[in-house]
Amino acid sequence: MAGMELGEQTEPRGGGAAVTDPRGVLRQGRAFLDFFWDIAKPEQEVRLAATESLLRHLREGKKDDELKYTLKRLVEGLGATREAARPGFSLALAQVLQAFEEIPLCSILEQIKEKHNLEKVKKKLVRNAAFGNFFGVMALFQSGRLVKDRKALLESIQLLQQLTNHQTHLRDLPRKTLIDITSEVPETVFEEVLFDILQGDLSSAFTSPENLHLLLVGMQKFPGVLKPKKLKKLFGSSTVVNKENVSRLVELLKSTAKSEKEDKKLPSVVFDLLQVALKEGAFELFWNEVVENGLLKEKSGPVSYMCYRLLGSALPLLSLEQLQVVLKGKVMLHYGEHVVATQSPQGFKFAAEMEGYIDTFLSGCDDPERQLAVMMGFSTLTNQGRPVLLSASRVVRHLQAVALQKYISWLKDMFLRPDLDCCLDFSSNRQKQNRQNADIAQQKIARLRKWIMHRLVNIIESATRKEESLVMDIARFCFFHAFFVAKKKNSQIAEASVLPSEPLNERDHTETENYFFGLLQTLNTLPVLGDTAKAAALREKHVHGVTAEGKLWIFLLVEYANKLLSTEHVKAVKPFTEEQRDIWERTLQSAKNLQKKENKSDSAKVGAFQQLLLSMAIHLFKNQSETVEVLSDLLNCTEKAFSKEAKKKKADSSEPGWVEVMVEILLSLLAQPSLLLRRISKSVFVWICPSLTKRGLQLILDVFDPNQEQNEESAVVVMEESNKKTKSAQDTDEEGSEDSSDEDNTDSEDEENEEVDDNFRSQLMKVLQGGNALEEDQSDEELDDDAMMALDKNISALFAEQQKRIQAKKDEKDRMRKEKILRRDFKAKVLDLIDVFLVKQAENPLVFDIIEPLLQLIEQCMSSDSDKQEVDFLQKTASIFKNSLCRNKQYCKRVASLQEDVHALVQRLVKKACKHTDSAVALYYFSASLYLLKVLKGNTSSAVPPPESKKQSDKAKQACQLLNPGCLNVKKVAAVYQQALTQFLSKRNSPLTCSMFHDLFKRFPIMCKPLVDTLVEFITAAARQHQQAMACLLLHRVLLLQELKLFVTEEEWEDLISRSISQVTQCLKTLGKPIMKAEKEKVAKSLELLNFLLKTVKGQKLSVGLAEVEQVLLPLQQLEDIRSSPRLDSLYWNVMRWLNHTKPKKDKTATKPRQGAEPPKRKKKGFLPESKKRKNRKKGVQENGVGAGEDGEAAPEEQPLGAQTPKKKKGLVPGGSKKLPSKGVRENGVAEAGGGDLPTADGGDAVADKKKKRKRKNRKRKGAAGDEAEQVPAAKKTKGSVVQENQKKQDKAKKKRKVKQAPVVQE
């Protein structure tokens, strides 16, 4: 930037020949020059905007001098030092040349060569010059005019050839640019202009990758010029890919791979060589000899990655036969080994990049056969039976419908009849070492079937061109092989038409079963398929999990299962008993009945119950014994939920109603590992919320009751979930169980270990005593070998038993930890039901029953462990309590019959808030009480209807709403909060805070009047200073509320203000002489309150006596603690202002000016005195008639001794050690200080007078500076006077020396 600025300053001088009016261009303003600054900035957006603005300015101005200056600046900028500036200037130059076609390219190229001459430039600027030439050629090429101008084209190519010698700076950029330019040139221009100068590069094509790339580009772009005969003349062969050139091509490609390894893309020369090989018909030779037998033998990463990229890039260019050759070759096998070997996080993974190549090929290919060949090729690249391609890969979304159908059919056929011979199978080195297992074929088949099943399930999620028949086909296939086995072939059932070549074992059925339930979850959330109008209407309603006809997918699967159960040639993996078959029939009939009711009643409610029934019916194939009981209860509940008789009856009997049973079922389903069942359970709960009873809600709340955790049923639920859900977690946790321990139980563990150690020690003593090993009279030598062996056995048995005991304790501890985690997870799921109920049924009176359990749950979490799971659960509970309950705008409007209960609940909550030790928990209890106040006040009492008038303003309506207490018993509630307020202002450690009561007064102004007297009383009655401050603060905030005046009369208001002033006055009377730190906050709050009270008295002209206040406040002015505190001092005088007292101004004791000193004249800012200007210095000396020596000695007089500059120590008097007056004497031509023609006496007097005047001026300046400066303490003044006296002494000494010097100089 500094270089550019220097260029701008020097351009008008050096560029006069090129620019007709240089100063005129630069004088037009900074806007034009700023374009070039912005072009050089590193931000790309700024550069582009500046280029556009420059072009617009040049088009609109149409000034030749600006255009010439622009070209000059842009050509200079091509060789800028900063990397970001060079492409910016190059692009701008290209745009200017494209916009103004009258500019000849040859002249610009000459300017570039002249400005960035590589031969004349300095050595350290060679790099900039090389880049300047290169970016200049790039600008000419990007302008689009270079191809049309043959002369400029020829010179540009020659310049690029010269730049290839500067590889240290430009690397291969000139070669690449040359190739790009060549590819854009017409064939005639290439033949007539470029072929002769490029002939040397083309003939040496096999010497460097760049020359080979140039040849390949020329062969593809200009086949009429580079014919086989001409190629033979150039390098001896009519083709590029032949047996003679294989070795040279391999070496060139290796060097290319290693030089471009950082780019992580396929080099262009390799892709062009592939295209030439295809054109010459030598693809098989190229692939087999050059790639597989040449490049793959090089054990290096860059070469291998280049082969993989070549494989992916070649897919769109190959025919079906060539694809089959490539996909079964060595490159594929090598790629598979790489994928398996680099599964560690540290390794570079090429699998994602290869998936991108496949995705690009499938999206751009319209041939279903080639699409199918690629998918089958990558699906048969297997590692011991498991394909390398991810089973969840989304590349299938680009498959044509025909190819997708064939691919699914091939997958199903491979599942039934696994053909391992058609797979390109390999094993890693570790797997080869572990080949001792004889049943390797069965493992391969199991791995292949598992992958195929996941692939089929994932197709439903990933494929975009799928139809309902295809989805149903996959779902039926998965369901059949999960739960059924075909005895014989059956043409009526497609899944039983082909028998498996290898029967499915139990593990295969289990894996397929797991994938099927994942498929059910996908079907449940699947949008409606099809192009019909009905399907589009369902999609607009965001309906999921149904077909275009409105039927549930799971209902179709249940019908299919029913068909399989009635077929003789098919048997279930787990056959049904008569009871289970009866439940199955009932469930199917109930689902059909619900299907008929869907049009009559709410379709969403019917769909939720239907999904729950059918999902449990499907689970009957998985867990028969557990599902039968649940299904039986669920059927009864469904019948009661949709029957008209059940709605008329009021369940007063002791047996549980259908809602309670339904809640128990849903709670049991929430403990299941199936995500589908949990989601369906929540959707069903939404629909049974309106019918939820108190007993049903209590079942949900019992989950959070710590006393209920010891119940057997809850333990069974948790253990069931633990057995099903965390098998893998148990396996992983057992490995590190030695290190896992709870911090909270360390003390108890130490005690147990001590007890164990004592028991073990006593047992060990007994063993040793039994073997006579501890007797003092006998030594170890006296025990024979048999006794020693017996003793060893006993000791080893004892230690083994002790080890088992320790391991059992660790296992028990691990089991308890896992149970705790599962129990917490289960509570979190049940907490979602509470959230749903609070949101959907906010007006239900049962909400009041949830408040206390939620608060108890928060209290438990606050006092429990602080691990992440507990913290997350606490945050979730607190969020539900705060957002779904307290901040919910909807609340119960039927509280008239529950007034007593709600008031009692308010009393309990406030009392618990007061008794609690933790302020954070107390805040939740207090907030719950405020929520209940909102409910009570928002309900209208039937006894006192609210007054209604037709002509009421908005303010009047708001006032009526504030005055109307609703169902709130103000007197009763005020007594509760009065006790809490009294405790807050009297108890030492109260959990209540000031913000709680401020929130109470702000949200419910109706509570201000009953509680304000307590606040006034405790201004003086509070026992502690901070409590008195809190009373003043709360009273101040209450009095600021405008709504308070609606509840008090004018007399009451005046009395309240009077009593408040009196209390604050009494409070201020008790101040001690030294105000303690605790008292300062009380004083501040008291003064703030008093300021408001006095302002109210003066503003409303109340008849309140203020004499006592004034008497108390006046002495406070003298307190040093108030004066030293800026805050207290400001508050104090704000109060005194209302009593007609103003703050006295502080007298600033200014320094006394010296006697006889004149006021200094202010100099004008920004102007130098005439004597200081360079042009008047010599003139001033001559006018005074004195040499500069006298004038130059004023400066040493002002400086302290020894501060003379080195310049004044140079000239010495000849014959002595005295100093010459100044250097300026010699410059003016005066040899001596006295002067030749001047009289000695008069001249001396004049010099003395001038010195005195100069001294006076200096004194005046110092005096003026002292007057304008701030006051300093007395100690500093005395120190300053001492310095001035020293200065006077120094001045006198100087005068004496000067008097002594004068005779010497005159002589």
Side-chain angles (χ1 to χ4, degrees):
M1 211 47 102
M4 292 180 62
E5 188 175 357
L6 181 61
E8 286 183 7
Q9 296 174 358
T10 57
E11 278 161 3
R13 300 176 184 176
V19 182
T20 58
D21 186 15
R23 295 185 66 81
V25 172
L26 298 179
R27 280 181 175 179
Q28 290 178 0
R30 294 295 306 176
F32 176 66
L33 297 178
D34 285 342
F35 294 148
F36 304 102
W37 285 80
D38 292 340
I39 288 173
K41 288 185 177 178
E43 295 83 7
Q44 185 177 3
E45 296 80 5
V46 178
R47 295 202 303 264
L48 295 177
T51 304
E52 294 178 2
S53 302
L54 177 62
L55 289 174
R56 193 183 309 112
H57 179 81
L58 293 175
R59 288 195 190 100
E60 295 173 356
K62 297 182 180 179
K63 297 179 181 179
D64 294 339
D65 54 350
E66 288 186 351
L67 182 59
K68 290 179 181 179
Y69 181 79
T70 299
L71 294 175
K72 176 177 175 293
R73 283 294 302 270
L74 294 179
V75 169
E76 288 180 357
L78 295 173
T81 307
R82 290 172 298 148
E83 297 181 359
R86 294 193 288 260
F89 282 108
S90 177
L91 177 61
L93 180 59
Q95 294 297 319
V96 171
L97 294 176
Q98 186 179 6
F100 299 93
E101 296 187 357
E102 63 272 12
I103 302 173
L105 296 185
C106 292
S107 64
I108 300 300
L109 189 58
E110 289 299 327
Q111 290 184 33
I112 294 171
K113 291 180 180 179
E114 183 180 354
K115 183 65 181 176
H116 309 287
N117 195 334
L118 292 170
E119 297 177 357
K120 297 181 180 179
V121 75
K122 294 181 180 179
K123 187 176 181 180
K124 62 181 180 180
L125 299 177
V126 170
R127 175 183 173 85
N128 294 343
F131 273 109
N133 286 281
F134 171 72
F135 278 106
V137 177
M138 285 291 295
L140 299 181
F141 176 54
Q142 290 175 349
S143 66
R145 297 171 51 194
L146 185 62
V147 181
K148 303 174 186 177
D149 193 338
R150 296 194 174 190
K151 183 180 178 182
L153 175 64
L154 182 61
E155 293 181 2
S156 299
I157 294 297
Q158 291 174 347
L159 182 58
L160 287 175
Q161 288 178 335
Q162 294 176 12
L163 292 176
T164 54
N165 299 326
H166 298 274
Q167 289 187 355
T168 54
H169 305 304
L170 301 177
R171 297 185 182 179
D172 56 349
L173 290 176
R175 282 290 181 187
K176 290 183 177 180
T177 307
L178 192 149
I179 294 169
D180 293 337
I181 294 174
T182 305
S183 62
E184 299 292 334
V185 171
E187 189 170 356
T188 55
V189 177
F190 175 77
E191 186 176 8
E192 297 172 3
V193 179
L194 300 182
F195 182 74
D196 293 335
I197 60 174
L198 295 177
Q199 190 170 1
D201 297 332
L202 295 175
S203 60
S204 59
F206 293 98
T207 58
S208 68
E210 292 81 10
N211 292 341
L212 177 62
H213 193 195
L214 180 63
L215 173 65
L216 296 174
V217 171
M219 290 178 64
Q220 295 179 77
K221 295 291 182 181
F222 317 113
V225 179
L226 296 176
K227 296 179 181 179
K229 292 182 180 179
K230 193 166 287 187
L231 293 178
K232 194 168 185 178
K233 291 181 181 179
L234 288 173
F235 50 82
S237 61
S238 58
T239 58
V240 176
V241 182
N242 51 47
K243 292 184 179 179
E244 291 79 11
N245 296 333
V246 166
S247 59
R248 292 190 289 180
L249 289 174
V250 170
E251 293 301 322
L252 288 175
L253 294 182
K254 285 181 181 179
S255 63
T256 302
K258 294 176 181 178
S259 62
E260 299 188 13
K261 62 181 180 180
E262 295 180 357
D263 296 339
K264 293 185 178 180
K265 64 179 182 179
L266 182 68
S268 302
V269 61
V270 183
F271 188 71
D272 290 335
L273 183 60
L274 171 66
Q275 291 179 314
V276 170
L278 288 169
K279 187 176 181 181
E280 293 178 351
F283 173 74
E284 286 77 9
L285 176 65
F286 169 74
W287 192 260
N288 294 330
E289 299 299 328
V290 176
V291 179
E292 293 186 346
N293 296 330
L295 295 176
L296 278 183
K297 290 184 178 180
E298 179 75 15
K299 302 292 184 180
S300 68
V303 177
S304 300
Y305 294 141
M306 187 181 71
C307 294
Y308 306 154
R309 293 187 176 102
L310 180 61
L311 170 64
S313 303
L315 295 178
L317 305 177
L318 304 181
S319 63
L320 182 61
E321 294 77 13
Q322 291 170 341
L323 281 173
Q324 292 175 351
V325 171
V326 168
L327 295 174
K328 295 295 182 183
K330 296 180 181 178
V331 179
M332 280 288 286
L333 195 63
H334 202 276
Y335 164 71
E337 292 175 352
H338 160 77
V339 173
V340 174
T342 57
Q343 289 180 353
S344 60
Q346 293 79 15
F348 173 70
K349 300 177 180 61
F350 193 82
E353 192 172 341
M354 182 61 76
E355 189 171 340
Y357 284 116
I358 301 171
D359 191 84
T360 304
F361 165 74
L362 294 177
S363 61
C365 180
D366 298 330
D367 186 5
E369 295 298 327
R370 292 172 63 208
Q371 282 187 337
L372 180 63
V374 170
M375 286 305 301
M376 290 175 60
F378 280 93
S379 298
T380 52
L381 177 62
T382 58
N383 172 33
Q384 286 196 349
R386 180 182 178 83
V388 171
L389 182 67
L390 291 176
S391 56
S393 176
R394 297 180 59 83
V395 296
V396 293
R397 66 181 185 275
H398 299 299
L399 289 177
Q400 302 285 336
V402 179
L404 181 62
Q405 185 63 50
K406 290 183 177 180
Y407 182 57
I408 291 173
S409 301
W410 176 79
L411 289 174
K412 289 160 63 177
D413 186 63
M414 285 290 288
F415 184 87
L416 295 173
R417 293 177 294 185
D419 186 7
L420 298 178
D421 296 333
C422 73
C423 297
L424 191 63
D425 196 75
F426 65 93
S427 301
S428 63
N429 294 331
R430 183 178 297 178
Q431 290 170 343
K432 291 176 182 177
Q433 295 173 1
N434 299 333
R435 272 189 172 177
Q436 300 175 358
N437 191 357
D439 198 12
I440 190 68
Q442 292 295 330
Q443 288 186 3
K444 288 182 178 180
I445 292 174
R447 286 164 63 90
L448 179 61
R449 281 176 170 170
K450 181 179 179 180
W451 183 91
I452 290 173
M453 191 56 62
H454 192 199
R455 174 77 275 184
L456 287 172
V457 170
N458 188 262
I459 284 176
I460 296 180
E461 298 180 11
S462 303
T464 55
R465 303 174 184 177
K466 54 180 178 286
E467 300 176 355
E468 289 186 354
S469 58
L470 185 141
V471 173
M472 194 62 201
D473 185 29
I474 295 176
R476 291 171 58 171
F477 183 83
C478 295
F479 178 77
F480 181 86
H481 293 288
F483 303 112
F484 288 91
V485 177
K487 298 178 181 178
K488 297 180 181 179
K489 292 183 179 181
N490 189 351
S491 58
Q492 297 179 356
I493 301 175
E495 289 72 26
S497 59
V498 179
L499 297 179
S501 59
E502 290 287 337
L504 276 73
N505 55 24
E506 184 179 356
R507 183 180 178 183
D508 296 334
H509 285 295
T510 304
E511 295 287 350
T512 309
E513 176 185 299
N514 294 334
Y515 285 124
F516 171 73
F517 282 108
L519 174 62
L520 273 186
Q521 173 61 26
T522 303
L523 292 177
N524 189 38
T525 57
L526 190 68
V528 181
L529 304 176
D531 300 329
T532 61
K534 190 175 181 180
L538 290 173
R539 280 195 294 269
E540 289 180 358
K541 295 179 181 179
H542 302 286
V543 177
H544 298 282
V546 298
T547 62
E549 297 179 356
K551 289 186 177 181
L552 291 169
W553 285 105
I554 194 170
F555 183 74
L556 298 177
L557 286 173
V558 169
E559 287 184 335
Y560 174 68
N562 192 46
K563 180 181 177 181
L564 294 178
L565 288 174
S566 59
T567 304
E568 296 180 357
H569 301 290
V570 175
K571 69 173 182 178
V573 177
K574 298 177 182 178
F576 284 177
T577 61
E578 293 183 1
E579 181 186 3
Q580 294 165 358
R581 188 60 185 267
D582 181 51
I583 288 292
W584 171 264
E585 297 292 343
R586 285 181 58 195
T587 305
L588 195 60
Q589 186 62 39
S590 179
K592 291 179 179 179
N593 295 337
L594 290 176
Q595 189 76 24
K596 296 176 183 178
K597 294 180 181 180
E598 187 172 3
N599 298 327
K600 299 179 182 180
S601 59
D602 196 345
S603 59
K605 180 180 179 181
V606 171
F609 276 89
Q610 198 174 6
Q611 274 191 338
L612 183 58
L613 275 174
L614 297 175
S615 300
M616 293 306 301
I618 293 293
H619 275 76
L620 194 61
F621 290 95
K622 184 178 181 180
N623 298 321
Q624 297 173 348
S625 59
E626 299 174 4
T627 312
V628 168
E629 297 180 3
V630 177
L631 260 180
S632 178
D633 295 337
L634 188 58
L635 287 171
N636 296 331
C637 294
T638 306
E639 292 174 1
K640 293 178 180 178
F642 287 93
S643 63
K644 297 180 180 179
E645 297 179 358
K647 294 180 181 180
K648 295 179 182 179
K649 292 181 180 179
K650 294 183 179 180
D652 295 333
S653 59
S654 59
E655 64 181 35
W658 68 270
V659 177
E660 287 85 355
V661 178
M662 197 72 184
V663 168
E664 289 183 351
I665 294 172
L666 296 180
L667 290 176
S668 64
L669 295 181
L670 285 178
Q672 296 295 325
S674 173
L675 178 62
L676 174 65
L677 284 180
R678 295 202 299 269
R679 288 186 175 178
I680 294 175
S681 301
K682 291 180 183 178
S683 61
V684 171
F685 183 77
V686 172
W687 295 108
I688 69 170
C689 275
S691 305
L692 191 65
T693 61
K694 195 168 185 177
R695 292 170 62 184
L697 179 62
Q698 191 59 41
L699 290 174
I700 299 175
L701 297 177
D702 285 343
V703 176
F704 308 109
D705 190 358
N707 299 325
Q708 297 289 334
E709 289 185 359
Q710 305 299 328
N711 195 2
E712 295 180 359
E713 295 181 0
S714 63
V716 170
V717 171
V718 173
M719 287 309 296
E720 286 175 357
E721 185 180 7
S722 64
N723 291 334
K724 297 172 185 178
K725 190 173 179 181
T726 59
K727 288 184 179 179
S728 60
Q730 287 177 357
D731 295 338
T732 56
D733 290 340
E734 284 175 1
E735 296 176 1
S737 59
E738 296 179 0
D739 300 330
S740 60
S741 60
D742 295 335
E743 297 178 356
D744 297 336
N745 298 329
T746 53
D747 297 337
S748 60
E749 287 175 4
D750 294 339
E751 294 175 0
E752 291 177 1
N753 291 335
E754 289 177 1
E755 295 177 0
V756 170
D757 291 340
D758 293 338
N759 295 332
F760 177 68
R761 189 179 296 106
S762 61
Q763 293 177 4
L764 183 60
M765 293 289 289
K766 291 179 181 179
V767 171
L768 293 175
Q769 289 174 358
N772 296 326
L774 294 178
E775 294 183 6
E776 298 178 356
D777 299 339
Q778 296 178 353
S779 62
D780 294 340
E781 298 177 358
E782 296 179 358
L783 292 175
D784 56 359
D785 293 341
D786 294 338
M788 288 292 294
M789 291 296 294
L791 183 61
D792 289 343
K793 287 182 180 180
N794 294 333
I795 293 176
S796 62
L798 180 61
F799 274 97
E801 185 179 355
Q802 175 67 12
Q803 190 65 29
K804 288 180 181 179
R805 201 177 293 116
I806 294 173
Q807 187 62 38
K809 287 189 176 182
K810 288 183 179 180
D811 294 342
E812 179 66 18
K813 179 183 174 183
D814 193 37
R815 186 186 67 82
M816 295 294 292
R817 182 179 61 83
K818 291 177 181 178
E819 280 190 12
K820 183 180 178 182
I821 294 173
L822 290 172
R823 190 177 291 110
R824 184 63 66 200
D825 288 341
F826 177 65
K827 286 182 179 181
K829 296 167 188 173
V830 177
L831 201 58
D832 292 334
L833 300 185
I834 298 292
D835 190 18
V836 168
F837 183 78
L838 290 174
V839 173
K840 299 292 183 181
Q841 295 292 316
E843 299 183 1
N844 197 321
L846 292 177
V847 171
F848 302 138
D849 296 333
I850 301 178
I851 295 176
E852 287 185 295
L854 267 184
L855 291 171
Q856 292 173 3
L857 185 60
I858 292 174
E859 190 175 349
Q860 293 171 17
C861 296
M862 295 282 277
S863 60
S864 60
D865 302 336
S866 59
D867 57 345
K868 187 178 183 303
Q869 192 184 22
E870 291 287 343
V871 172
D872 293 342
F873 184 71
L874 173 60
Q875 290 177 351
K876 184 176 183 179
T877 309
S879 176
I880 291 173
F881 176 80
K882 181 171 60 176
N883 299 319
S884 302
L885 180 68
C886 295
R887 293 183 181 176
N888 198 338
K889 295 182 180 180
Q890 304 294 329
Y891 52 85
C892 182
K893 301 296 178 60
R894 299 169 291 169
V895 190
S897 59
L898 302 172
Q899 292 185 36
E900 296 298 328
D901 296 337
V902 177
H903 281 89
L905 181 57
V906 172
Q907 187 175 3
R908 288 201 304 274
L909 292 176
V910 175
K911 286 185 177 180
K912 287 184 178 179
C914 295
K915 291 180 180 179
H916 215 282
T917 56
D918 192 353
S919 182
V921 180
L923 177 60
Y924 286 103
Y925 278 96
F926 202 87
S927 301
S929 69
L930 296 184
Y931 165 75
L932 294 177
L933 289 188
K934 178 180 73 172
V935 174
L936 288 169
K937 193 175 183 307
N939 280 264
T940 55
S941 177
S942 57
V944 183
E948 294 182 0
S949 59
K950 296 181 180 179
K951 297 181 181 180
Q952 274 187 338
S953 62
D954 294 337
K955 292 184 178 180
K957 289 181 180 179
Q958 292 179 2
C960 289
Q961 290 179 359
L962 290 172
L963 292 171
N964 182 21
C967 294
L968 180 63
N969 189 342
V970 179
K971 186 177 180 180
K972 188 174 182 179
V973 173
V976 176
Y977 284 103
Q978 188 175 7
Q979 293 177 2
L981 184 59
T982 303
Q983 180 196 1
F984 169 61
L985 296 175
S986 59
K987 191 177 178 181
R988 174 182 286 276
N989 295 322
S990 175
L992 306 179
T993 60
C994 186
S995 60
M996 297 180 187
F997 290 100
H998 180 244
D999 197 16
L1000 168 66
F1001 296 137
K1002 187 177 179 180
R1003 291 175 59 185
F1004 305 100
I1006 198 172
M1007 302 298 298
C1008 293
K1009 182 180 178 181
L1011 299 179
V1012 73
D1013 294 335
T1014 306
L1015 293 175
V1016 173
E1017 177 187 353
F1018 273 92
I1019 291 176
T1020 56
R1024 295 166 187 85
Q1025 304 289 345
H1026 72 276
Q1027 291 171 343
Q1028 293 178 1
M1030 291 297 104
C1032 293
L1033 176 62
L1034 284 175
L1035 181 59
H1036 187 192
R1037 292 181 177 179
V1038 169
L1039 295 177
L1040 284 172
L1041 295 175
Q1042 298 294 330
E1043 296 85 353
L1044 176 61
K1045 295 183 180 180
L1046 298 174
F1047 299 95
V1048 296
T1049 62
E1050 294 182 0
E1051 292 78 9
E1052 291 175 341
W1053 173 255
E1054 185 173 343
D1055 180 61
L1056 176 61
I1057 297 296
S1058 176
R1059 287 189 291 114
S1060 301
I1061 293 176
S1062 176
Q1063 287 290 94
V1064 176
T1065 305
Q1066 295 298 324
C1067 180
L1068 292 175
K1069 279 184 180 180
T1070 59
L1071 287 180
K1073 288 288 181 178
I1075 300 178
M1076 306 302 293
K1077 186 177 180 181
E1079 286 182 313
K1080 287 187 178 181
E1081 189 66 21
K1082 181 188 77 170
V1083 173
K1085 299 303 179 185
S1086 302
L1087 291 175
E1088 287 177 0
L1089 175 59
L1090 191 56
N1091 183 34
F1092 170 77
L1093 294 173
L1094 295 179
K1095 180 182 177 182
T1096 305
V1097 171
K1098 296 292 185 179
Q1100 300 179 8
K1101 298 180 180 179
L1102 302 179
S1103 58
V1104 178
L1106 302 178
E1108 186 181 0
V1109 181
E1110 190 172 0
Q1111 293 176 1
V1112 174
L1113 290 178
L1114 282 175
L1116 297 181
Q1117 180 183 0
Q1118 307 301 327
L1119 292 179
E1120 184 64 26
D1121 294 315
I1122 291 181
R1123 286 189 300 172
S1124 61
S1125 173
R1127 180 191 176 197
L1128 293 180
D1129 187 62
S1130 176
L1131 290 173
Y1132 173 78
W1133 287 110
N1134 286 341
V1135 174
M1136 296 302 291
R1137 184 172 50 116
W1138 299 108
L1139 299 175
N1140 300 324
H1141 291 274
T1142 57
K1143 185 177 180 180
K1145 293 183 179 180
K1146 292 183 179 179
D1147 295 333
K1148 294 183 178 179
T1149 56
T1151 56
K1152 294 182 180 180
R1154 298 180 182 178
Q1155 292 181 358
E1158 298 178 2
K1161 296 179 181 179
R1162 293 189 65 182
K1163 292 191 295 183
K1164 296 180 181 179
K1165 276 192 173 181
F1167 292 93
L1168 286 171
E1170 292 295 327
S1171 61
K1172 294 292 185 181
K1173 294 182 179 178
R1174 292 180 181 273
K1175 60 183 180 180
N1176 293 329
R1177 284 185 178 176
K1178 293 181 182 180
K1179 190 186 300 182
V1181 174
Q1182 293 172 0
E1183 288 175 357
N1184 294 332
V1186 188
E1190 291 86 359
D1191 204 27
E1193 285 198 6
E1197 291 179 6
E1198 294 175 2
Q1199 296 175 354
L1201 290 174
Q1204 290 86 355
T1205 58
K1207 289 183 180 179
K1208 296 183 179 180
K1209 294 182 181 180
K1210 287 182 180 177
L1212 298 176
V1213 179
S1217 61
K1218 303 295 181 179
K1219 300 177 186 176
L1220 284 174
S1222 179
K1223 185 179 178 181
V1225 177
R1226 291 190 296 271
E1227 291 176 356
N1228 293 329
V1230 182
E1232 304 294 342
D1237 300 330
L1238 295 176
T1240 308
D1242 295 342
D1245 295 337
V1247 170
D1249 293 339
K1250 286 187 178 181
K1251 288 181 179 178
K1252 291 178 181 178
K1253 289 180 182 178
R1254 232 177 263 120
K1255 288 179 183 179
R1256 288 195 197 104
K1257 286 182 181 178
N1258 292 336
R1259 288 169 186 161
K1260 289 175 184 177
R1261 288 194 198 104
K1262 293 178 182 177
D1267 293 339
E1268 293 175 359
E1270 294 182 359
Q1271 248 181 341
V1272 294
K1276 292 185 179 179
K1277 289 181 184 177
T1278 55
K1279 186 177 180 181
S1281 61
V1282 172
V1283 174
Q1284 290 178 1
E1285 290 176 3
N1286 293 335
Q1287 186 70 25
K1288 289 178 182 180
K1289 292 178 182 179
Q1290 292 173 6
D1291 293 341
K1292 289 180 181 179
K1294 286 180 182 178
K1295 288 180 183 178
K1296 292 179 181 179
R1297 283 196 295 270
K1298 288 174 186 173
V1299 172
K1300 291 178 181 179
Q1301 288 175 4
V1304 178
V1305 176
Q1306 290 174 3
E1307 287 175 2

